[in-house]
Amino acid sequence: MAGYFGANKYKFGVFGINCAGGMTPSRAPERWRADWDEMVEVATLADRSGVEFLLPIAKWHGLGGEADMWGRSFETFTQAAALGALTKNIGVFVTAHVSLITAAFAAKAITTVDHATHGRAGLNIVCGWNPDEFSPHGITLTGERRYDRGFEWYQIYAKMMEGGPKFDWKGEFFDLQGVITDPLPVQKPRPPVMSAAQSGDGQIFAARTADILFTALQSLDVASATVANLNNLAATYGRKPDVYVETQFVCKPTRKEALDYAHYYAVEMADPDAPAYFARQKARTMSSSTRTGDTVADRALAASLDGSKAPRYPGMFAGMYPVIGTPDDIVDELEKISALGVAGSTLVFLNYLQELPYFVQEVFPRMERRGLRAPVATG
Ligand SMILES: Cc1cc2nc3c(=O)[nH]c(=O)nc-3n(C[C@H](O)[C@H](O)[C@H](O)COP(=O)(O)O)c2cc1C
């Protein structure tokens, strides 16, 4: 399955508005606060502008540092239901930690959002990386076998969503009786499944389960290798997931203004304790493919975690590709990313409400002129 969310050649998902800090480890006072009404304004603007989907982050713990990024966050199933009711066309993902939520609960909750939105729900499956956010739930998270467990969870979920009679499940990780869900979702065979991961192990998991792999964009070369690897892996399962990547935008009328603003919030006002904690925790649960450097993406990930290379923008995540410049610069860069064979990327800004309107006004028409997007149908 491929090609969710319409015909635009390059698609966008607004990423991270449910969490304070969004996706930017910065202390800048105008950083994203995850105020509910501002979040609704961003979601409705994105909806009116034809943005394809909203993608929240599932978080139970902040990253520390002065700003304690992600310390404040809204839960994603309930957020998707609420934002779905306030919008008309945009896809609404939930992000589910498979170690916290049963497949039966997820099937029912996703189906609820899918009916409430007449077929706009999506499920982002995440297998977890930060042990500190599982301890409030009384769960110990390790990196070992998380994708094996996640795969069994997915099989149960997918079987339920196909309909059919009650079934029992006896696997390695789950022993369940009388499994069924009713009603079934509006979208068939089920709402799109996304897997968000970077490592080779994560790519194998995505190849087996996902309609969409959402992955880091460390560099254009790494992304190109990831697209090729995922396509090969998925072909062995008769599948062809779309690949989306992580992009962060700083778009201003002049290149100097854009570079100055990026320097201000992601260098001068960087909150380096947050990415440092992120790297430490991620290293604790590193996938075995990353430890052994199986893929280009694993090696890029390992290098970003060991702290040996000073990042150009310490106030941005290593996997988040900075796209900085005038509207024309932005579209030039997006054309290059599109040529890698990716379906789209994240819309991430320091402050979504302050920056998205200008981006939509200036970048979208330019993308339309280059055939990357089509104008939004009105009426
Ligand atoms: C685009 C993207 C979005 C992610 N969103 C979340 C999230 O919302 N919550 C979470 O705990 N992990 C999230 N992750 C982490 C992954 O789901 C995964 O558990 C972690 O990256 C370990 O994967 P690895 O095998 O690639 O190292 C995200 C990762 C990526 C690349």
Side-chain angles (χ1 to χ4, degrees):
M1 270 181 301
Y4 282 98
F5 308 119
N8 282 332
K9 184 169 178 205
Y10 198 95
K11 302 180 178 65
F12 284 121
V14 178
F15 185 30
I17 54 172
N18 66 312
C19 292
M23 283 302 295
T24 313
S26 173
R27 296 174 294 121
E30 65 271 54
R31 66 183 182 271
W32 188 242
R33 302 286 172 162
D35 168 81
W36 183 268
D37 292 334
E38 289 190 354
M39 197 168 71
V40 171
E41 263 194 77
V42 169
T44 49
L45 170 62
D47 187 35
R48 285 197 307 277
S49 312
V51 171
E52 279 76 9
F53 57 87
L54 302 169
L55 177 62
I57 316 168
K59 278 298 130 217
W60 308 95
H61 197 278
L63 294 180
E66 192 180 312
D68 192 25
M69 175 176 184
W70 298 345
R72 167 190 164 94
S73 73
F74 288 101
E75 190 284 318
T76 74
F77 280 81
T78 43
Q79 186 228 19
L83 294 184
L86 295 168
T87 50
K88 291 192 166 62
N89 297 304
I90 198 163
V92 284
F93 273 92
V94 307
T95 297
H97 281 124
V98 292
S99 46
L100 300 183
I101 290 167
T102 68
F105 180 91
K108 218 170 239 313
I110 290 281
T111 299
T112 304
V113 179
D114 207 39
H115 280 257
T117 58
H118 304 286
R120 290 188 280 129
L123 171 65
N124 176 24
I125 297 179
V126 288
C127 294
W129 57 272
N130 183 1
D132 285 353
E133 54 184 344
F134 293 87
S135 28
H137 301 277
I139 289 172
T140 305
L141 178 86
T142 65
E144 298 308 312
R145 314 222 48 215
R146 64 182 155 187
Y147 287 120
D148 297 328
R149 190 178 182 284
F151 182 60
E152 198 177 310
W153 186 102
Y154 166 79
Q155 287 175 299
I156 299 161
Y157 170 83
K159 188 169 165 61
M160 239 183 293
M161 291 304 228
E162 281 164 16
K166 268 186 194 155
F167 63 93
D168 294 345
W169 182 275
K170 197 161 181 55
E172 190 183 347
F173 300 94
F174 298 97
D175 185 355
L176 312 172
Q177 288 79 44
V179 185
I180 190 165
T181 198
D182 182 16
L184 293 173
V186 174
Q187 295 175 87
K188 302 293 177 200
R190 61 191 158 267
V193 169
M194 172 187 289
S195 172
Q198 188 175 355
S199 69
D201 289 349
Q203 290 175 38
I204 293 169
F205 178 74
R208 298 173 85 186
T209 63
D211 307 306
I212 293 166
L213 169 71
F214 226 114
T215 196
L217 180 49
Q218 300 260 11
S219 71
L220 300 187
D221 289 346
V222 175
S224 177
T226 298
V227 170
N229 187 47
L230 183 77
N231 284 343
N232 283 339
L233 289 168
T236 62
Y237 301 105
R239 318 178 80 250
K240 194 173 181 335
D242 287 336
V243 179
Y244 284 73
V245 294
E246 294 184 289
T247 47
Q248 169 143 8
F249 295 98
V250 186
C251 181
K252 298 280 179 191
T254 68
R255 199 173 290 167
K256 181 176 182 327
E257 281 172 272
L259 286 166
D260 286 352
Y261 193 53
H263 190 267
Y264 154 70
Y265 83 68
V267 179
E268 287 167 37
M269 298 302 282
D271 197 7
D273 291 348
Y277 168 79
F278 175 89
R280 274 198 311 279
Q281 294 300 94
K282 229 177 128 49
R284 282 176 67 191
T285 58
M286 193 183 274
S287 287
S288 56
S289 61
T290 306
R291 203 169 296 117
T292 46
D294 288 4
T295 65
V296 176
D298 283 304
R299 295 192 285 280
L301 172 60
S304 75
L305 296 181
D306 74 13
S308 58
K309 201 173 138 219
R312 180 159 166 232
Y313 288 111
M316 293 185 195
F317 282 110
M320 183 65 74
Y321 192 74
V323 187
I324 300 170
T326 63
D328 287 319
D329 293 336
I330 303 282
V331 181
D332 288 345
E333 198 65 32
L334 290 176
E335 246 178 359
K336 285 187 212 154
I337 297 172
S338 174
L340 303 173
V342 308
S345 68
T346 53
L347 284 173
V348 167
F349 306 95
L350 174 69
N351 183 309
Y352 301 82
L353 191 53
Q354 287 174 9
E355 296 170 69
L356 181 63
Y358 181 71
F359 190 92
V360 164
Q361 182 193 303
E362 297 297 329
V363 175
F364 278 26
R366 285 169 168 82
M367 292 181 76
E368 290 162 16
R369 290 200 283 277
R370 299 216 206 157
L372 292 169
R373 294 184 66 80
V376 179
T378 49

